[in-house]
Amino acid sequence: MVNFLAVHFGNGSGNWGHVKRIYRRSANSKWTWHRVTNSFGEFSTWYIANWTIIKGADKLGSHRKYESFDPAKARNTLQIIERFIDWSGENRSPQGKVNEQIQIQMQPQYDLFDVLYKSMNSITRFGRLAKFDYLCSLGKLGLIDAEPRSAYLGEATGPKDGIYDLFHLPYNRQNKNGIDKYVNELSVILDIPYAMQVIEDALCNWQKNHNIYMRYNH
């Protein structure tokens, strides 16, 4: 639960304030995964009564800044949490969801990361980067044995622009597939764990301001 919330809210103000306030039900109890999934109605009532407190003065992460806390608005945080619970399956277990996919797909070339990534399309407003970062975090924590073979940049905006600049390619925002080969080749050359995530993050920063990141790296 905490891992999901951390990705959803981001760390915009540097102290994980939103995660703390939504996870910490009160001084003596917490909204654990078990408690939320078994008492979602109770959690919903608590969230609706406390959403302005949860929101606080902290900023959302830069990739989540358009999300809404207000439960009266469409596609809000409460809805995203509910969709995540639905995604976790009948047993209400993200790890169970992983095991289910492993049992379904046993081919030698089976890409667990990709299957899980695509399965998360059902989570409203949990887009490319949220799915990507969430699954990468599970892998780094040793909760899944999977690493991305793609950065899914065909679905991206900013990082895609960074590729055109970095590789000196003719600009074509409509090119959703051809750019991936450059990133794939670079990941092989780097030969580091989670190279795709490293490249994705670097490209995202690169396209924001070349000069700042060039000075930093030098």
Side-chain angles (χ1 to χ4, degrees), residues 140 147 190-198:
K140 290 177 178 180
E147 187 172 331
L190 291 176
D191 190 26
I192 57 176
Y194 290 88
M196 285 297 182
Q197 188 180 37
V198 173

Side-chain angles (χ1 to χ4, degrees), residues 7-188:
V7 172
H8 169 59
F9 291 123
N11 190 24
S13 297
N15 64 358
W16 302 104
H18 298 122
V19 179
K20 294 175 183 176
R21 288 191 289 273
I22 201 170
Y23 182 66
R24 189 170 51 206
R25 180 185 184 188
S26 67
N28 299 315
S29 64
K30 298 179 176 63
W31 281 117
T32 63
W33 173 255
H34 179 77
R35 185 186 295 273
V36 171
T37 55
N38 285 278
S39 307
F40 188 76
E42 181 185 356
F43 173 77
S44 298
T45 299
W46 174 86
Y47 179 92
I48 291 170
N50 292 278
W51 73 268
T52 55
I53 297 174
I54 296 168
K55 181 180 179 181
D58 296 316
K59 294 181 179 179
L60 285 167
S62 61
H63 294 289
R64 308 298 286 167
K65 58 186 177 183
Y66 298 114
E67 301 305 317
S68 173
F69 286 88
D70 188 347
K73 294 184 178 180
R75 298 180 176 180
N76 57 75
T77 288
L78 183 61
Q79 185 185 61
I80 293 174
I81 294 173
E82 183 176 20
R83 293 292 184 272
F84 179 70
I85 293 172
D86 290 343
W87 170 81
S88 69
E90 293 182 0
N91 294 325
R92 299 292 186 250
S93 168
Q95 185 60 53
K97 183 74 173 184
V98 173
N99 295 336
E100 173 189 309
Q101 294 300 326
I102 292 174
Q103 292 300 317
I104 293 173
Q105 304 283 349
M106 298 297 291
Q107 297 91 337
Q109 297 303 314
Y110 171 54
D111 187 345
L112 176 60
F113 191 100
D114 185 65
V115 171
L116 290 172
Y117 175 90
K118 291 174 180 176
S119 76
M120 298 187 82
N121 289 339
S122 61
I123 304 176
T124 305
R125 298 290 293 171
F126 209 63
R128 178 195 71 90
L129 190 57
K131 293 182 292 184
F132 186 76
D133 283 349
Y134 173 72
L135 293 174
C136 282
S137 69
L138 293 188
K140 290 177 178 180
L141 290 171
L143 299 177
I144 62 173
D145 184 13
E147 187 172 331
R149 301 178 188 176
S150 168
Y152 302 95
L153 294 173
E155 306 170 31
T157 51
K160 187 190 298 183
D161 294 343
I163 291 177
Y164 292 123
D165 287 341
L166 182 62
F167 293 101
H168 303 288
L169 301 174
Y171 187 81
N172 180 3
R173 184 176 280 274
Q174 301 305 314
N175 184 354
K176 295 184 177 181
N177 299 312
I179 58 176
D180 284 334
K181 71 174 184 178
Y182 295 95
V183 176
N184 293 343
E185 291 172 0
L186 179 57
S187 71
V188 173

